[in-house]
Amino acid sequence: MAMISEKIELIGKNLYTDIPGTLTLKSIPTASELEYVGSEDFVGTMLDSILPEAVDENVNFHNLLEVDYYWICRCLRILNYGPYYTTNAVYCRSCGKVSYGEFRVNLKTINCIPIPDDFSNDIVVSKDEFLDFSGDVHLALPTIQQIINCRNDKAFQTPDGNLDSDLARICYMVTSIGGKSNLTPIEIKYKIKNDLSAADYIILRDRISELSDFGLRNGGTAQCPKCHSNDASFVALVNDKFFRPSLGDLRQWKHDRSAGKNKNISRSATATIRKHN
């Protein structure tokens, strides 16, 4: 097969000491593609089998920031299969209707919030923001390995066996709390439960969400099948379905390539990064 490659710039390019800020992404052969079809451990397969074949540089992909893992997956999908994606639901803000069926949408309409150049990856929720807690909380953007660990940490399971995903994520992001650092996620969990009131926990959770809101959004924009407004939206989560284009998606991509569009995947991919208003 003809090998296609593109240079992509990482969202957190200034935050690494062991990963280049720009990577060379290349198309993958069918043999590699088959590895992640229906994989039970989709993220693990991507990190250990797919990305090492798709990136020229020697990288420990487990050390990627979560935002860059999803960014690379998005660029890899467009490089191999084009930007078109078939979704089963489109939500319209104009007419308030949800359309169910099969609708072709464009992944390039999914925005990506950049990390500012002066961002040091030391996120601070000041003690002045809390109602009762008298200390600062410092956090860092999580790596994809930290996200894997927090999702599998049984210490954060609720009595009914579900994961308290908000608390787990927070505890894996905290680097110091109330002046105490080098704490394990479990120690942070008990400090939050013992030292923060219910109101302060909500403040902490929501401020972390605001201060770390970088990277790809969960979906993009589309035309409403009912009222034809361009104010509709769709969801496209990065999972095995994300890498399953339909025949129609591929035919549309072929048409665009024949017409001279999408010549540079990384350039058209990074064009969707925009700053906060």
Side-chain angles (χ1 to χ4, degrees):
M1 62 175 278
M3 189 66 67
I4 304 172
S5 66
E6 292 286 350
K7 295 284 188 181
I8 63 168
E9 190 175 87
L10 297 182
I11 300 170
K13 60 185 182 297
N14 298 323
L15 303 179
Y16 296 106
T17 58
D18 59 340
I19 297 177
T22 300
L23 298 179
T24 307
L25 196 65
K26 59 190 178 185
S27 56
I28 56 177
T30 301
S32 295
E33 187 266 351
L34 292 175
E35 288 185 39
Y36 61 74
V37 175
S39 172
E40 291 185 4
D41 183 11
F42 172 76
V43 177
T45 302
M46 290 297 295
L47 293 174
D48 296 330
S49 300
I50 305 303
L51 294 186
E53 289 198 39
V55 175
D56 275 346
E57 291 76 13
N58 184 18
V59 171
N60 183 343
F61 295 100
H62 292 260
N63 291 340
L64 282 170
L65 292 175
E66 178 192 24
V67 293
D68 277 326
Y69 164 75
Y70 288 118
W71 176 244
I72 292 174
C73 285
R74 186 249 200 203
C75 294
L76 182 63
R77 199 285 188 184
I78 293 178
L79 181 65
N80 281 273
Y81 300 122
Y84 299 105
Y85 176 83
T86 296
T87 184
N88 299 122
V90 172
Y91 313 85
C92 183
R93 289 182 288 270
S94 293
C95 66
K97 303 292 185 181
V98 180
S99 299
Y100 296 102
E102 291 189 348
F103 309 103
R104 184 168 306 118
V105 294
N106 194 327
L107 295 174
K108 291 182 182 178
T109 66
I110 298 177
N111 286 317
C112 185
I113 304 300
I115 296 174
D117 290 338
D118 59 354
F119 183 79
S120 64
N121 206 14
D122 180 26
I123 302 168
V124 182
V125 180
S126 168
K127 60 185 178 183
D128 296 332
E129 300 201 47
F130 295 113
L131 295 176
D132 303 300
F133 188 59
S134 59
D136 295 339
V137 179
H138 290 251
L139 311 99
L141 296 177
T143 65
I144 188 60
Q145 185 59 54
Q146 287 176 307
I147 295 301
I148 292 172
N149 292 345
C150 82
R151 289 173 179 171
N152 294 327
D153 196 333
K154 294 182 179 180
F156 292 92
Q157 284 185 348
T158 59
D160 58 5
N162 294 318
L163 177 72
D164 187 341
S165 56
D166 286 341
L167 181 59
R169 184 181 181 88
I170 290 170
C171 291
Y172 273 83
M173 290 177 66
V174 168
T175 56
S176 74
I177 180 168
K180 294 187 177 181
S181 56
N182 299 317
L183 300 176
T184 67
I186 305 304
E187 291 171 327
I188 294 167
K189 170 188 173 182
Y190 286 114
K191 190 162 184 62
I192 288 175
K193 285 185 172 291
N194 292 331
D195 295 356
L196 268 68
S197 64
D200 280 342
Y201 175 69
I202 292 174
I203 291 171
L204 176 64
R205 182 195 64 194
D206 291 354
R207 285 298 286 146
I208 290 172
S209 179
E210 293 173 354
L211 294 170
S212 62
D213 187 26
F214 305 115
L216 287 172
R217 308 297 87 183
N218 286 331
T221 58
Q223 186 179 76
C224 175
K226 290 185 168 65
C227 73
H228 307 295
S229 164
N230 291 319
D231 197 30
S233 61
F234 64 91
V235 173
L237 301 178
V238 179
N239 51 27
D240 57 337
K241 183 181 182 299
F242 188 73
F243 286 88
R244 301 270 64 77
S246 70
L247 179 59
D249 297 337
L250 296 175
R251 282 175 172 166
Q252 184 62 51
W253 186 39
K254 178 183 178 181
H255 175 271
D256 285 0
R257 293 206 307 183
S258 298
K261 300 178 182 179
N262 299 324
K263 288 183 178 179
N264 189 304
I265 301 302
S266 64
R267 188 171 299 136
S268 50
T270 54
T272 62
I273 297 180
R274 63 177 178 80
K275 297 183 182 298
H276 282 291
N277 292 326

